[in-house]
Every structure is written in C-alpha cells, then in structure tokens.
Amino acid sequence: MRGAKSAKWVAIAAVVALGATACGGGSGDEGDGKAAIDPNGKFSVEVGEPQNPLQPANTMESNGSIVTRALFTGLVDYDSSGKLVMMNAQSVDTTDNKTYTVKLKPGWTFHDGTPVTAESYVKAWNWAANPENKQTNSFWFSDIKGYADVAPAKGKPKATEMSGLKVVDDTTFTIELEKALPYFTYKLGYEVFSPLPESFYKDPKAAGEKPVGNGPYKFVSWQHKKQIEVARYADYKGPNKAKNGGVIFKNYSKLETAYQDLKSGNLDVMRQVAPRDLPVYKADLGDRAVDQPYSSIQTIAVAFYTKQWKDIDPKVLQGLSMAIDRDTITKTVLQGTREPATGWVAKGVLGYQPNAAGDITKYDPAKAKQLIKAGGGVPGNKISIQYNVDGGHKEWVEAVCGSITKATGVECVGDSKADFQAELNARDNKEVKSLYRSGWVLDYPFIANFIRDLFGTNSDGNKGGFSNKEIDQLIARADSAKTLEESEKLYQEIEKKLPEHMPSIPLWYYKVNAGYSEKVTGVKYAQDGDPVLTGVQVKK
C-alpha cells in the first residue's frame, strides 16, 4: 500500500500533493524556524520493491505509485477537503458530464526537455488502453468512448485508438465518454491518466526502468531491491515544487528494520510503523511521531475463483465476519491505532456513511456459528488468510484467525508471502488458496472508488473474482446519475446492499502511524497516507 505500507494495495492518487493536510505530529511538522535548511539536500523514505516497471498505467500498488507520483504530474489533484485543484490542466470543462474539454497550462516540459502537449496525454492513454501493452490499470480508460473497440471483452480489437479522444491543438484535447459520468473529473487525479513523452514509445520496457516524466522530481537511478533515487526537476511548472534536492526510496524487507534505521538516523521518513513498534514509537520519537487518520480500509478479500468459495452462501462469510473481535484486536494488537470498520468505504471520502454494513461487523460468536451453519458451513472447515510478511501483518492475521477459531471452531491459519510483490503476484495469477488481506486507499475521494473499482465484475481492482449482476446494474445506475450528489446517494444504497453478497469482510479503518528523523522538517502526510515529498525540508 509493504516493503508494503500496511494499508495500501492498489493505486493511490496524488491526493493533497500540495501539502494541505493537517499532520498529527508536533511542532516539527510546520518547519523548524531555527534550523538552517539545505535546499539541495536529499532525504530517504522507506519503501519496498515495486511490483512492475515504473509506467503510470502499470502501477497498482504503493511501492511503485509513491515513486511514479514523484515523477509524473497529471491534469488535476485534490486539496484536503476533496476539492479539485488544477495541476497540468488550466481547466477541465463539461456541460453534460459526457464530453470534457481539457486545456493545458503552457510551458510544461518533460524531464528530457520536450514539451507536454495534448498529444502527450491522448497518445499515452491510447497506448495504456491497448491490451497488447499489458498495463494493469487499462480498465480505468473504459469510460472513454471507443475503449470497447480497442480492448473488447471478447474477440479481436476493432481499433487501436479510442474514438472519444481528440486533439484540438497543442494545449487542448477533448474526452468523450461512452456514457455521462458525474465524477469523471475526480478520476483524472489518478496517475494512470499521466502524460508520456515521445521517447517512451521507442522502448516502453526500458522507459519503465528509467522513466521520463513531467513531475516535480526526475529519475536518477534504480538499484533493484535496494533503492530508487530521484532529484528535483528545476524546470517544473507545478504549484508543488520540491523544497528539497531529491528523494532516496530505500527498500526494506521488514518494517521493523526500517524503524531501527529511523531511530539511528539511517532513514529519514517512514510511511508506517510495524505493530511490534506501535507501543513505543511515540515515546521514542516524541514530536516526530505521527498519528493521524487517512482514507484507507483493511479488509479480508475472498478468492471466489477457488473451489472453496465458488458457490458459497454469503451467510458463511457473514458468520466469519461476526466471529472477528475487531474492538479487542484494534485496541490490543494494534495499540488503538486502527478503528473498527462498519462498512466498505473509508472515512474522509465523499459518500462515506457510518454503519453501512449493519450487524455483520459486530462481534457475536453465537450468531456467527448460526450463520455459518445456515449457509452450509465452511468447506473443509478450514480457511487461510494470505498476507505479506514485510508489511507488518503477521500479528493481526494471527489475532483474527484466533478469534474466528475460538468463536466458531473453524480452523484458520496465516498464509505468508515473503514480500508485497510476491503477495500481489499470487493475486494476479489467481493463486490465492482461500482468503487474502486486502487494503485499499483512495485513488480519488469519491465513494465509487471503493465500490465500482473493487466490486464491479470487470474492474482492475477486483482480484478475487466477485461478480454479481444486481450490483453491476446498480453501479451502472449510479454512474448514469445526472449530478454528483445523486450518484453519491445511489452508491450509498449499493453499499448498504453489500452485506447481502459479502464481496469481502471489512476489518478496520487505517491511520498513519509513522515518524521521521531529526534531519528533516516540514513533514506532512496526505489523505492517501503517504508523506508529501515535495514539502519535506532537509536541515544542514
């Protein structure tokens, strides 16, 4: 989300890249007025190995996305209230939610000095949508007219370019959607919609190893399984210019190791403290400790393609959910740093509603047994929860399993993968044996991102194979609403129906529990839980 950050699995938007969110740390967060600052100083951040090459449409996990967002800037972003902020776009206008006119700010360049033009966006999106290029986030372009001709569900492609994209001039292009979509402009904040330079197409694979972007930082080097280095781009035209000389993304296989490096001054910024260190990190770090909510949720997802779950009665999953003592686990194992979830949509997202899941997230061993029995029982009376060892998940997975077994008698074990990359590959290759831990953080601050993008039958984020015609029809209805407000209400109705189908089991809402070294100041964490890299200042 890690090397993996505990919560984030798939795509994270560059939310609040302008540094507008409040931070839970102390006085150091606002910048240390007494400290001399080195404007060219570099600092280090804890990450893990990205799953894929650093191509904007091929990044569906947090280790790659934090780097990609540093290298690329898209059309729009959001402030801490969810309000749209124009970035590379001068304006994104529509009168009918179906056809959008995008005007770019003049003078922007890629890191190779070539201009960012309307063609830079249109060509990049068409390339990413083409199934031959095997981009993990290609489905994000499915709203655009002509996507089905480029990437049909069945049969051969009829076109190589989406008919809904038109270049008007160097700084203007239009986007025509298949159907009106009231929240489409919000989606444009996700890095999949980044532009690409002309040099990319000569060798896309090589470009993923040495990316050329248009963001606040330019690529320097990538030592696989060790570190990625980026440097401030002097000619960057965005409002979020870097206040430092660059970033070194240091690869860690264990968060515990990263924390020790943080304390000893060998690491500057952490994204998440492991459960083992939660009891002591505030005392260790003082006002450099961070404790703040962000828009992410942890769930247990279901591999519906397996023999165990293929035709399961949702009552069984309801029962397993009610066998989890979220209150105790969040208070003890997770030291009060998580809040039990009562639905599928993270807090801070437009459309969040409390208690959307009803009773199914309440701990009730008797009801849990009853539901599992009524649903025909757990096939084999044994489940496993897949997780990545490097993300600090072992402790809570064991606690969840213990709670389920104690309440229901169903045997439950953890199924560990060495790192986040291996865990994601198992999902992508449909190799999950039973259940898997699934964190999701907002890509854009609207409820659809937590429902359509996870539970729609063809959505890229739907790795477990959940498919329900009624839910798909309701999603289509919500997407066709004439206003954002109406779409929000319809999506809220869908969330309240999810307990009937149990596409996953909600666990808890996340917080940023992290910290930084004495070497840096001005450290803030955004709504997506990641540090705002451009605002960090390095002391002399």
Side-chain angles (χ1 to χ4, degrees):
M1 167 266 197
R2 340 186 194 193
K5 181 168 184 175
S6 302
K8 300 180 183 179
W9 148 43
V10 300
I12 311 151
V15 178
V16 207
L18 305 183
T21 44
C23 185
S27 59
D29 295 336
E30 298 304 322
D32 188 344
K34 298 178 182 179
I37 300 300
D38 178 4
N40 297 314
K42 291 192 175 185
F43 68 98
S44 56
V45 178
E46 156 266 318
V47 295
E49 179 74 2
Q51 184 189 21
N52 296 317
L54 296 172
Q55 302 160 323
N58 205 20
T59 303
M60 195 189 273
E61 44 76 39
S62 58
N63 291 324
S65 66
I66 190 173
V67 183
T68 302
R69 289 198 320 277
L71 297 171
F72 292 86
T73 294
L75 298 170
V76 303
D77 203 344
Y78 323 97
D79 66 17
S80 57
S81 67
K83 181 181 178 182
L84 284 167
V85 177
M86 294 296 126
M87 297 298 282
N88 194 186
Q90 185 78 50
S91 60
V92 181
D93 296 321
T94 183
T95 57
D96 59 2
N97 293 327
K98 187 178 181 184
T99 300
Y100 293 77
T101 299
V102 178
K103 290 188 178 296
L104 302 178
K105 293 174 181 175
W108 280 56
T109 59
F110 288 104
H111 301 151
D112 60 5
T114 58
V116 179
T117 66
E119 178 73 13
S120 306
Y121 281 91
V122 170
K123 189 171 181 178
W125 297 3
N126 278 319
W127 184 88
N130 191 324
E132 289 185 6
N133 297 319
K134 298 179 180 179
Q135 297 295 281
T136 57
N137 286 326
S138 62
F139 189 72
W140 277 77
F141 300 99
S142 62
D143 297 311
I144 299 173
K145 186 176 181 181
Y147 174 82
D149 293 331
V150 173
K154 295 180 181 179
K156 295 182 178 180
K158 299 177 182 177
T160 57
E161 298 180 352
M162 292 177 281
S163 58
L165 297 177
K166 303 287 185 187
V167 173
V168 178
D169 56 42
D170 280 352
T171 58
T172 311
F173 68 99
T174 58
I175 309 165
E176 184 182 356
L177 306 183
E178 199 65 52
K179 299 175 182 177
L181 190 65
Y183 57 89
F184 183 72
T185 309
Y186 277 84
K187 297 185 73 171
L188 291 174
Y190 181 32
E191 63 258 34
V192 68
F193 293 103
S194 298
L196 292 172
E198 200 59 35
S199 61
F200 174 90
Y201 305 101
K202 296 175 183 177
D203 190 341
K205 185 177 180 181
E209 292 293 320
K210 297 181 179 180
V212 175
N214 67 325
Y217 297 99
K218 60 182 179 181
F219 178 83
V220 175
S221 63
W222 184 357
Q223 300 175 57
H224 284 275
K225 299 280 188 178
K226 186 176 181 182
Q227 68 177 43
I228 298 172
E229 184 175 353
V230 301
R232 182 180 60 226
Y233 179 46
D235 294 328
Y236 180 62
K237 303 297 183 185
N240 57 326
K241 291 184 178 180
K243 295 180 179 179
N244 50 70
V247 187
I248 297 171
F249 300 93
K250 294 182 71 173
N251 191 310
Y252 286 91
S253 59
K254 290 184 177 181
L255 292 179
E256 293 84 353
T257 305
Y259 184 66
Q260 293 303 314
D261 271 5
L262 181 72
K263 289 198 299 179
S264 62
N266 294 318
L267 173 69
D268 296 315
V269 180
M270 279 198 74
R271 298 182 295 170
Q272 194 72 30
V273 173
R276 190 192 74 178
D277 298 311
L278 289 174
V280 297
Y281 88 104
K282 289 182 180 179
D284 287 345
L285 301 178
D287 63 4
R288 292 180 288 109
V290 177
D291 180 359
Q292 72 173 65
Y294 73 101
S295 298
S296 185
I297 187 172
Q298 182 80 274
T299 66
I300 296 175
V302 185
F304 286 103
Y305 51 79
T306 61
K307 184 178 180 181
Q308 182 175 37
W309 302 115
K310 194 168 186 180
D311 297 307
I312 200 69
D313 188 321
K315 288 189 181 70
V316 175
L317 294 169
Q318 291 172 353
L320 290 174
S321 178
M322 296 188 77
I324 300 170
D325 188 351
R326 294 165 180 79
D327 286 336
T328 298
I329 295 170
T330 54
K331 287 175 183 174
T332 57
V333 178
L334 296 169
Q335 297 290 314
T337 60
R338 309 289 183 266
E339 180 183 345
T342 60
W344 283 266
V345 178
K347 288 189 168 185
V349 172
L350 186 61
Y352 164 79
Q353 53 188 337
N355 303 316
D359 290 338
I360 66 104
T361 57
K362 295 178 181 177
Y363 180 56
D364 188 334
K367 188 70 180 293
K369 279 184 181 178
Q370 179 186 337
L371 283 167
I372 291 173
K373 184 177 180 181
V378 173
N381 203 44
K382 181 179 180 178
I383 59 174
S384 61
I385 302 174
Q386 178 178 294
Y387 67 96
N388 49 299
V389 172
D390 62 350
H393 302 295
K394 182 176 185 288
E395 292 86 350
W396 72 254
V397 168
E398 290 178 348
V400 166
C401 274
S403 183
I404 288 173
T405 300
K406 183 179 179 181
T408 66
V410 175
E411 186 180 352
C412 179
V413 296
D415 179 12
S416 63
K417 301 299 177 185
D419 54 32
F420 199 27
Q421 188 176 32
E423 202 268 330
L424 290 171
N425 288 339
R427 299 187 204 180
D428 290 346
N429 297 328
K430 298 190 182 303
E431 295 171 352
V432 178
K433 298 169 186 174
S434 180
L435 306 168
Y436 61 96
R437 79 98 196 159
S438 173
W440 185 266
V441 68
L442 84 170
D443 301 316
Y444 53 96
F446 187 66
I447 185 173
N449 185 223
F450 286 79
I451 295 178
R452 170 186 168 171
D453 297 324
L454 280 175
F455 306 134
T457 294
N458 296 314
S459 295
D460 286 332
N462 185 351
K463 296 297 183 183
F466 173 79
S467 181
N468 183 275
K469 288 184 179 179
E470 180 189 14
I471 295 299
D472 285 341
Q473 289 169 355
L474 291 173
I475 287 172
R477 180 177 168 228
D479 283 352
S480 64
K482 293 184 178 180
T483 67
L484 188 69
E485 293 75 18
E486 183 185 348
S487 181
E488 177 188 348
K489 289 178 181 177
L490 291 171
Y491 266 109
Q492 287 177 323
E493 291 178 15
I494 297 173
E495 188 185 13
K496 288 180 179 178
K497 288 192 72 68
L498 292 182
E500 300 174 19
H501 307 289
M502 294 301 292
S504 66
I505 298 173
L507 289 179
W508 38 75
Y509 306 117
Y510 263 89
K511 284 185 178 182
V512 176
N513 299 104
Y516 50 92
S517 74
E518 295 178 344
K519 176 185 167 185
V520 293
T521 185
V523 181
K524 293 177 181 286
Y525 289 74
Q527 190 182 358
D528 67 0
D530 272 340
V532 181
L533 303 176
T534 54
V536 177
Q537 293 179 294
V538 181
K539 298 177 186 178
K540 285 186 177 178

